[in-house]
Amino acid sequence: MSTRLKALNAYRHGLRATRVAFQNDTEVLIAARAKMRSGMLCPPNPKLNTEEQIQHLEDVAVFLRRNLVQGKKVDGTNTKEPRYHLNIHKDTELGDNETVADPTVKVKTKLRARPFKCSDKR
């Protein structure tokens, strides 16, 4: 596969990841896509070769899909504490307390998000 095609695929993956991560926030979605476009035209780190820059963009796309979750403040009724609705989707990487407590622990299974409803209570 040519370098140009790899770069275009990485750019496409990045655009799709921004769509997933910033689904209901048009202003941030447009800003993220503009930043990605400017990064494609003028790479932010000229010390990296083309293959490393493509890999960096692929890594950014994976990070956006798996690790970025947007929250929206929801008016809580009869509570003084604010409540938030989190945009957790099927690609969101969920951790467990073991990995938080000990960062050297390797997760053996890929955890998937469960369907989330605003009515879910803890």
Side-chain angles (χ1 to χ4, degrees):
M1 185 181 300
S2 72
T3 304
R4 180 176 166 82
L5 188 57
K6 286 181 185 178
L8 289 174
N9 282 335
Y11 182 62
R12 190 176 308 120
H13 293 156
L15 291 177
R16 287 178 182 155
T18 58
R19 185 180 63 221
V20 169
F22 307 118
Q23 181 176 353
N24 296 321
D25 193 348
T26 308
E27 187 175 322
V28 175
L29 175 65
I30 291 170
R33 288 182 170 196
K35 183 73 171 174
M36 193 171 295
R37 187 178 315 112
S38 70
M40 286 295 288
L41 296 174
C42 181
N45 192 349
K47 294 179 183 178
L48 297 178
N49 66 29
T50 306
E51 291 295 326
E52 291 170 335
Q53 290 175 356
I54 292 170
Q55 185 58 47
H56 177 71
L57 182 54
E58 289 284 1
D59 293 342
V60 167
V62 169
F63 179 83
L64 286 173
R65 276 187 180 269
R66 292 185 183 169
N67 300 108
L68 192 70
V69 176
Q70 283 194 313
K72 183 177 182 181
K73 191 172 182 179
V74 179
D75 292 332
T77 57
N78 300 329
T79 62
K80 294 182 180 180
E81 300 171 358
R83 292 185 180 231
Y84 295 90
H85 174 77
L86 299 178
N87 183 20
I88 297 175
H89 47 82
K90 67 180 178 115
D91 294 328
T92 301
E93 184 177 302
L94 301 175
D96 57 7
N97 288 337
E98 294 296 322
T99 58
V100 173
D102 185 8
T104 60
V105 172
K106 299 288 183 188
V107 178
K108 293 179 183 171
T109 61
K110 187 173 182 178
L111 301 173
R112 289 285 188 186
R114 65 177 179 81
F116 180 78
K117 297 178 183 173
C118 290
S119 61
D120 286 352
K121 295 182 181 180
R122 289 190 151 195

